[in-house]
Amino acid sequence: MDCVSLKVKNLLPGFGIMLCRAHLSDRDILALAQKLESYTGLEYLNLSNNDITDVGALALADALERHPRLQTVNLSSNRIGLNGAKALARAFQSLPELQEVYLSANPIGDEGTKALAVAIKSLTKLKILYLSSTDMGDEGTKMLAEALEYHPTLQTLYLASNNFGDIGAKALASRLVAHVHLKNLDVAGNQISDHGSALLLQALEQNLSIKTTTTTGSGPSRSGQRRGKLSLDLSGNCLGQAAYSAVLDVKNVNLAVRIDTSVVG
């Protein structure tokens, strides 16, 4: 506990806290949350790889509502479940500057994902979202995909090692097709079949074909091709020969697809 107190003893506006792999328990988080009530300028918080449960997450969520400048929250690899996810979802709606959310390796489940999806709709600056290994199924993925429709600036989405299949893949495909800033989509280790993978490939190839419109000063708008590469990780799913053939047939050089141990593109 002395370690936590020391870390937040003399903090100025614009500060960040990194206490990953610090063996923090809920008791430590309760003390940290109390300390955070005395400050308002937190911008970065990394408490990943600790032993935080719903008890700590609830206390932390209450404290975070006082920090509207917060841009990054990393709580991956803890033991946060449904109630913790609901509390964090509530807090996120008070954080208009939030750009990066990392909640992988927490047993949030579909209901927790649904709660987060509601909050994500209000995060208009969201760029990076990690929800791998959260026990997310098709229902949670559908709700998340609907929420992400409001975030055309999304760049990275990690949903690996969950429990969704073609239904979830279809929902993602239909919502991500217009996300011209998307760079990384990781759905490895799920239950996606040839059909679901085909939908994702089609959507992302269409995504790469979208022309963006830019305006410089008071001059006319200019249309140009979407810039940058887009990577899709499909490894570890329930794919057959049709999926392998479809991946090999990808013609857009800007689409890199990982399937098992190979990369195509």
Side-chain angles (χ1 to χ4, degrees), residues 131-134 157-162 164 186-190:
L131 288 173
S132 296
S133 302
T134 55
L157 180 61
Y158 272 62
L159 303 176
S161 301
N162 281 301
F164 64 86
D186 188 341
V187 292
N190 282 285

Side-chain angles (χ1 to χ4, degrees), residues 63-80:
L64 294 185
E65 291 183 12
R66 297 173 177 266
H67 295 270
R69 295 170 57 181
L70 193 59
Q71 298 176 18
T72 300
V73 173
N74 189 342
L75 292 169
S76 290
S77 298
N78 280 285
R79 295 194 293 129
I80 300 170

Side-chain angles (χ1 to χ4, degrees), residues 120 126 129 144-152 154 157 176 179:
I120 285 170
L126 186 67
L129 180 61
L144 179 64
E146 291 175 11
L148 292 175
E149 186 175 9
Y150 296 83
H151 301 287
L154 185 71
L157 180 61
L176 295 178
H179 283 59

